[in-house]
Amino acid sequence: MKPVELSVWGVCTDCGYEGMIEYCHLEGEIYDDDNALGVMLSQCCPACETVDHSLLPLDFYRELLVRAEANGEE
């Protein structure tokens, strides 16, 4: 699976920024395991540039991929 970058509305736990947060794949993480409950992504706040890890439920992650593909992102 090729690495992806997704933008999702969220809140930065460091500075409190509310807006589009950037998420991207982590090296070594498995993203196509149908038995997984969720996936770990790297999240980057555009306001303070804090980089953190975020666990997203698998069904939400897949929904984001479908939306990104429909919008021509990735």
Side-chain angles (χ1 to χ4, degrees):
M1 173 176 256
K2 72 178 189 172
V4 298
E5 291 185 13
L6 305 165
S7 295
V8 181
W9 184 267
V11 177
C12 175
T13 57
D14 200 34
C15 73
Y17 167 84
E18 291 185 42
M20 299 304 280
I21 304 284
E22 300 289 322
Y23 291 87
C24 61
H25 281 168
L26 293 168
E27 189 173 324
E29 185 74 13
I30 299 171
Y31 293 96
D32 54 3
D33 180 358
D34 291 332
N35 296 319
L37 296 176
V39 295
M40 189 67 72
L41 297 170
S42 175
Q43 88 180 38
C44 180
C45 174
C48 69
E49 297 184 356
T50 295
V51 176
D52 206 352
H53 294 113
S54 183
L55 179 64
L56 298 181
L58 187 60
D59 56 344
F60 180 61
Y61 168 72
R62 288 187 173 159
E63 181 183 323
L64 294 176
L65 289 179
V66 169
R67 280 193 224 163
E69 189 174 300
N71 292 334
E73 296 176 20
E74 274 187 275

